[in-house]
Amino acid sequence: MRNIRVRNIFFAGHFVTFFLVFFLFLPCSQSYAGSDSEADVKPFLIIDANKQFEFAEYLFSNQEYASAISEYERFIYFFPKDDRIEPAMFKIGMAHFKSKGFRQAVNAFKVLIEKYGQTALSIKSYLMISESYAKLNAFDDAIINLHNLITITGDENIRDEAYYRIGWLYIEMASWGKAKNYFSKISAPNKDTYRLKRLAVD
């Protein structure tokens, strides 16, 4: 019984010692940790929409297309409501096209069209899709895409542009009769624009 009491006193003494040491050093450790955290504080990286877009444009203008694509995508991710999202998406398509990633260009331009419908840049995207298909020697796909553009637009100038491009695609395919047929569809005011008056009559 006496041994048990001595043992209890022994453990109680150690517990009190531990308790005192813990609370004695706790304020110091907190102060030390606080000073470390203040020393290690680093400023947050602030991404500015204008600077981000300008940086992407800079890379594009310097023909660093892979990097430009990444920066345009970063811009779209961080600033989804910015008015320049559509131009950024178009530039992604153009960057793929200029770096000969024609299949990726087609996909990028299609995403823009699906998101924005009939806008000036979506019309340009239709034209660039056809150019991309032509680069892939997928002339039938290029022609189908231009027919889709003709179907959705009510603008005579856009239709004439599509007819003109289809005509040249058929020339690439050595289908002279079909080429002549599509050139003949171009409206009279625009025949001079495309210098096709004589070709349509012959």
Side-chain angles (χ1 to χ4, degrees):
M1 189 72 177
R2 185 177 179 181
N3 289 338
I4 294 173
R5 186 176 298 171
V6 170
R7 188 177 300 172
N8 288 339
I9 293 171
F10 176 80
F11 282 114
H14 276 281
F15 177 77
V16 171
T17 302
F18 172 78
F19 188 85
L20 290 174
V21 170
F22 177 78
F23 279 97
L24 179 64
F25 284 98
L26 181 60
C28 296
S29 63
Q30 286 178 334
S31 175
Y32 183 75
S35 62
D36 277 351
S37 62
E38 290 175 4
D40 292 339
V41 169
K42 296 179 180 178
F44 288 104
L45 176 63
I46 299 174
I47 300 177
D48 176 81
N50 290 331
K51 290 180 180 178
Q52 179 63 36
F53 188 78
E54 288 169 4
F55 182 49
E57 293 277 85
Y58 168 80
L59 292 170
F60 184 91
S61 65
N62 281 274
Q63 301 179 11
E64 298 178 44
Y65 297 121
S67 297
I69 289 167
S70 296
E71 296 307 323
Y72 283 124
E73 289 175 342
R74 194 191 311 275
F75 172 79
I76 292 168
Y77 178 81
F78 283 107
F79 308 102
K81 295 183 179 180
D82 194 279
D83 293 338
R84 293 164 292 186
I85 294 296
E86 188 183 10
M89 293 175 70
F90 184 78
K91 283 294 186 69
I92 288 173
M94 289 302 302
H96 282 303
F97 182 86
K98 288 179 177 292
S99 58
K100 302 186 186 304
F102 302 119
R103 186 67 62 182
Q104 295 91 330
V106 168
N107 294 335
F109 290 126
K110 282 184 176 180
V111 170
L112 187 153
I113 291 169
E114 289 174 6
K115 182 176 177 65
Y116 289 100
Q118 295 187 50
T119 63
L121 285 179
S122 71
I123 298 302
K124 289 183 179 180
S125 294
Y126 272 104
L127 300 177
M128 289 308 304
I129 287 172
S130 289
E131 285 197 35
S132 299
Y133 278 136
K135 293 290 186 180
L136 293 166
N137 293 322
F139 298 115
D140 289 336
D141 289 330
I143 291 169
I144 290 170
N145 176 73
L146 289 170
H147 274 294
N148 291 338
L149 176 58
I150 292 167
T151 300
I152 67 166
T153 186
D155 189 318
E156 184 177 69
N157 292 323
I158 294 172
R159 283 200 303 269
D160 287 347
E161 173 79 8
Y163 290 142
Y164 174 76
R165 288 172 179 259
I166 292 173
W168 278 106
L169 286 167
Y170 276 122
I171 287 176
E172 290 287 336
M173 299 166 70
S175 297
W176 313 111
K178 289 182 178 180
K180 182 178 178 180
N181 179 50
Y182 276 92
F183 287 142
S184 69
K185 292 176 182 289
I186 296 173
S187 64
N190 282 328
K191 276 188 168 59
D192 288 335
T193 301
Y194 295 110
R195 299 180 182 178
L196 293 170
K197 186 173 182 180
R198 181 178 176 182
L199 180 61
V201 172
D202 290 345

